Amino acid sequence: MFDYVIVGGGSAGCVVAARLAEDPDARVLLLEAGPPAEDVEEIRVPAGYVRLFRSRYDWNYVTLPQERADGRAVYWPRGRVLGGSSALNAMIYIRGNRLDYDAWRDDHGCAGWGYRDLLPYFLRAEDNARGASPYHGTGGPLPVQDLRHKSEHSRHFIAAAAHRGAVENDDFNGPSQDGVGFYQVTQRDGRRCSVADAYLARKPDNLTIRTNAVATGLVIEGGRAVGVTYLYRGNEETARAEAEVILAAGAIGSPQLLMLSGIGPADDLRERGIYVIADNPAIGANLIDHPAVPVLWSTPAVKGLWESTGNTGLARWRLSHRGPLTSNLAEAGGFARSDPRLSAPDLQWHVLPVAFKEQGLTDAARRAMTVLVTLVDVASRGRIRLASRDPRHRPLIDPGYLSDVSDLAALAAGVAMARDYASAAPLSKICAGELAPGDGVHTDHEIRDYVRASVVTIYHPVGTCAMGGDSRDAASRQQSVVDPSLRVRGVDGLRVVDASVMPALPRGNTNAPVIAIAERAADLISGRAPLAPLDVAEVATPAPAG
C-alpha cells in the first residue's frame, strides 16, 4: 500500500515522484515499463542518442499511414527507460513562447497556467550555468549548460541567417524567442543529464522505484481510482494507492491506459469489449505534434561530426567529457515567422552537422549538413485509439499530419527560407550542392510535394488528455480530459501529469515545459500553495515581427 502510485518514469513522473517524496511521511511508488539507465554509455554520450532508436530503450512506435503525407507511416521514437524520452532526446532546453501559456489560460480556461504562473516553476527546476537572472534559475535539479562543442556548420548557419536579416539570439528563453543562435542543453559537464539523473540521484527511502513494470490497467472502485495493475517478471501485480493514482505515461501511454480501464470514448470502448466506466470522447483526441522537413546540403570541405566518433573521439570523451561527442547534433537553430504579420514565430530551425536522413536511421557517413524545418504553430489535429483491449498491443496513432492546409503552406515557406539562408555567406562557401529537396525542386507546387513526401516528427506529441476550464459548461461538453488541477473528469483520485495535458502545443521543444508542468502539479497534489506568479511587468514582450 502506498499513498501515491505514479505510472511512468519519464520526465514528468520523475519530477512528481521526487517532489512528493520530499514529504517524509508520503509513501510513493514509481512504475516504469523500461529498464534503468545505469551504465548505458549510449545514453550518457550526448552525440550517441540516435543509436538508441529502435533499441530496447525505445517504444518504437509507428503511426498509421498519413493520407496527406503520401500515405507514409512515420516512426515515433519514445523513451522506454527510467528518464523516458529525456534519455533519448537531443537535450535542447526550450520553454516555448509566453503567448503559448497565456493561450492555455485565456483560450482554454486553464486558470493558473499562464506564462507568469509557470515561469517560477521553470526557474525552480533550473540550474543554469550562466547564473541567475529574471529569466533563469540556479540551484534547481536540472542542469542547463552551453554546448562544449560547436560545429563549423552551425556557426556558418548562424552567420548566414544573420546576413539575411535574422537577429542573433543567445537566449531563446529570455526576452524574445525570435532569431538564430546556439541552443542550451540539459547536460552536466559534457554528459547527458536525463530527468531521472537530475531528480532521482538522491532517492529517499520513502520512494520505491520499480522498473520493467508494464502497467496494464487502473483499479477503480466506487468511481475512484485506488490502484494500478502491472506486469512484473511475468506476473500481474497490483499496487494500491490510498491518496491518488497519477498517470505520467506520456501522450501515448496515458490515454491508452485510461481507455484500457474503461475511461474514454464509449462507442470505441464498447467495440473493443471494454466496460465503460466514464464516457469522455476527448480522451485520445487533440493529438498534436511538431512536423519537420529536412533540407540537406553536401559540405565536402568540412569534416563531418561522424569522422570524430571513432575510438579516438570516444577515448577523449571518456577521459575529459569534451570533444565532438559532447555535441547534441541539433546544436543550433532558432525561430522565425513564415509571415511577418504573425504575433509569434511559427517556424523553428534545428541545424545538424550531419546528413540526417530517414530520421537518423540511415548511415550518416558523408560530409553534409541538415536543417530540419520545424513547424511549431500547428493547426492539424489527430487522435490515439486502441487497437485492442490487450494492453500488449500498440495503440493506433494518427497525428493527422498536414490535414490542415495552413501547415503545408508554412512548412513550404520554411523550406524556402532555409534555402535562402544557405545561399548567403559564409554558409554558401561550404555548401557544394543541395542534396534535398534537390536542384530539380523549384516551384511552390514542387516544394509542397517534397514536404508531403518527407515530413516526419520532431518528437513532440502532446494534447491527448487535454486540460480545460472547470466551468460547468466546459465540463458538460467534455472538451477536456482533466481540469486545471489535472484531475481526470468523471473519476476521483486520478490525475494525469505529462505532455498529454497540454491543450495546445508550445512553440519549441517540449521537455522543459513537461518538467514545469510536473513541478506545479506536485504542489497541487501535495496541497502546497502554488508559487507566486511573476509580475508580467518583469517579462519583456516578444520582439516585433519582421
Side-chain angles (χ1 to χ4, degrees):
M1 177 68 75
F2 297 88
D3 295 302
Y4 302 102
V5 176
I6 303 167
V7 179
S11 295
C14 289
V15 173
V16 173
R19 292 303 191 191
L20 293 179
E22 289 177 348
D23 177 359
D25 295 326
R27 299 162 297 168
V28 182
L29 172 65
L30 177 62
L31 298 173
E32 166 54 40
E38 299 169 357
D39 303 322
V40 180
E41 193 166 64
E42 289 87 347
I43 292 178
R44 304 296 174 211
V45 178
Y49 65 88
V50 174
R51 296 184 179 183
L52 299 166
F53 291 178
R54 291 187 169 162
S55 73
R56 66 187 293 248
Y57 306 104
D58 179 11
W59 281 101
N60 190 22
Y61 291 116
V62 178
T63 73
L64 294 173
Q66 294 299 284
E67 178 183 358
R68 303 298 177 87
D70 281 5
R72 296 175 300 113
V74 179
Y75 162 60
W76 275 21
R78 307 304 301 160
R80 192 178 188 269
V81 60
L82 191 63
S85 293
S86 75
L88 274 70
N89 67 1
M91 296 153 279
I92 297 172
Y93 183 81
I94 291 289
R95 297 174 183 168
N97 194 284
R98 64 172 292 188
L99 296 182
D100 300 327
Y101 306 106
D102 288 349
W104 292 7
R105 180 196 63 206
D106 300 336
D107 298 343
H108 298 277
C110 300
W113 294 94
Y115 180 78
R116 64 193 298 266
D117 303 298
L118 274 177
L119 182 57
Y121 289 101
F122 282 115
L123 301 183
R124 184 169 82 177
E126 186 182 5
D127 186 18
N128 198 300
R130 297 181 183 178
S133 75
Y135 296 98
H136 291 289
T138 57
L142 186 72
V144 177
Q145 300 182 343
D146 295 321
L147 284 160
R148 288 190 166 190
H149 177 83
K150 298 177 179 179
S151 301
E152 185 175 347
H153 304 82
S154 302
R155 297 181 189 277
H156 285 353
F157 172 85
I158 294 169
H163 189 78
R164 286 290 190 250
V167 176
E168 291 195 47
N169 189 342
D170 68 351
D171 185 4
F172 300 113
N173 302 302
S176 173
Q177 191 182 36
D178 295 74
V180 292
F182 284 99
Y183 292 122
Q184 284 198 294
V185 291
T186 50
Q187 293 182 15
R188 180 177 284 125
D189 301 328
R191 291 169 289 181
R192 173 192 294 276
C193 184
S194 74
V195 180
D197 297 326
Y199 279 82
L200 302 179
R202 299 178 180 178
K203 186 183 79 65
D205 292 339
N206 61 327
L207 171 59
T208 301
I209 300 174
R210 178 156 284 188
T211 53
N212 297 303
V214 180
T216 57
L218 302 174
V219 181
I220 300 174
E221 298 175 356
R224 182 178 183 84
V226 297
V228 176
T229 57
Y230 62 98
L231 293 175
Y232 182 68
R233 295 179 178 175
N235 299 313
E236 185 167 81
E237 301 190 10
T238 300
R240 295 186 68 87
E242 286 193 338
E244 292 192 23
V245 173
I246 301 158
L247 299 187
I252 302 171
S254 287
Q256 180 187 21
L257 195 59
L258 286 172
M259 290 186 285
L260 287 170
S261 306
I263 307 165
D267 291 343
D268 285 357
L269 299 185
R270 291 190 184 104
E271 284 183 11
R272 287 156 182 77
I274 298 173
Y275 177 77
V276 178
I277 291 175
D279 176 21
N280 189 333
I283 293 174
N286 193 49
L287 174 61
I288 327 169
D289 182 37
H290 287 149
V293 176
V295 184
L296 287 79
W297 295 269
S298 174
T299 56
V302 182
K303 189 175 182 180
L305 185 71
W306 57 272
E307 295 177 77
S308 304
T309 59
N311 291 335
T312 301
L314 183 58
R316 181 184 180 189
W317 180 85
R318 287 171 174 168
L319 183 65
S320 66
H321 299 126
R322 295 188 178 277
L325 286 179
T326 63
S327 170
N328 71 326
L329 300 189
E331 300 170 350
F335 297 86
R337 310 180 192 210
S338 64
D339 184 331
R341 295 170 295 181
L342 294 174
S343 59
D346 63 336
L347 295 170
Q348 182 179 5
W349 318 117
H350 293 86
V351 182
L352 294 78
V354 296
F356 197 78
K357 299 180 67 177
E358 302 296 328
Q359 297 177 261
L361 297 174
T362 59
D363 186 8
R366 69 177 301 169
R367 292 185 175 182
M369 69 171 287
T370 304
V371 174
L372 288 172
V373 178
T374 308
L375 182 66
V376 292
D377 186 13
V378 184
S380 300
R381 296 292 186 271
R383 174 178 278 280
I384 301 276
R385 299 174 64 234
L386 291 180
S388 163
R389 63 184 296 178
D390 188 335
R392 296 171 297 180
H393 290 181
R394 303 293 177 87
L396 305 175
I397 302 170
D398 181 9
Y401 287 135
L402 309 180
S403 55
D404 190 301
V405 69
S406 65
D407 291 351
L408 178 62
L411 281 169
V415 170
M417 291 175 70
R419 286 173 141 183
D420 183 50
Y421 292 165
S423 69
L427 192 56
S428 59
K429 296 181 179 180
I430 67 169
C431 291
E434 186 178 275
L435 301 175
D439 293 337
V441 176
H442 298 289
T443 67
D444 183 65
H445 179 77
E446 290 169 340
I447 293 174
R448 291 185 182 216
D449 282 347
Y450 173 73
V451 170
R452 282 187 283 261
S454 60
V455 66
V456 292
T457 179
I458 203 70
Y459 323 124
H460 300 153
V462 309
T464 49
C465 296
M467 171 172 50
D470 55 2
S471 68
R472 179 178 299 177
D473 182 54
S476 66
R477 286 183 287 144
Q478 292 184 315
Q479 293 180 332
S480 62
V481 178
V482 299
D483 67 15
S485 293
L486 307 184
R487 296 171 296 205
V488 175
R489 298 189 185 281
V491 181
D492 294 332
L494 179 62
R495 300 196 206 217
V496 180
V497 182
D498 55 34
S500 71
V501 305
M502 298 182 186
L505 187 52
R507 291 170 171 84
N509 311 75
T510 50
N511 192 237
V514 167
I515 293 169
I517 287 170
E519 284 275 10
R520 189 172 192 276
D523 283 351
L524 295 173
I525 295 165
S526 64
R528 293 189 293 261
L531 297 179
L534 290 180
D535 194 331
V536 173
E538 298 177 14
V539 182
T541 57

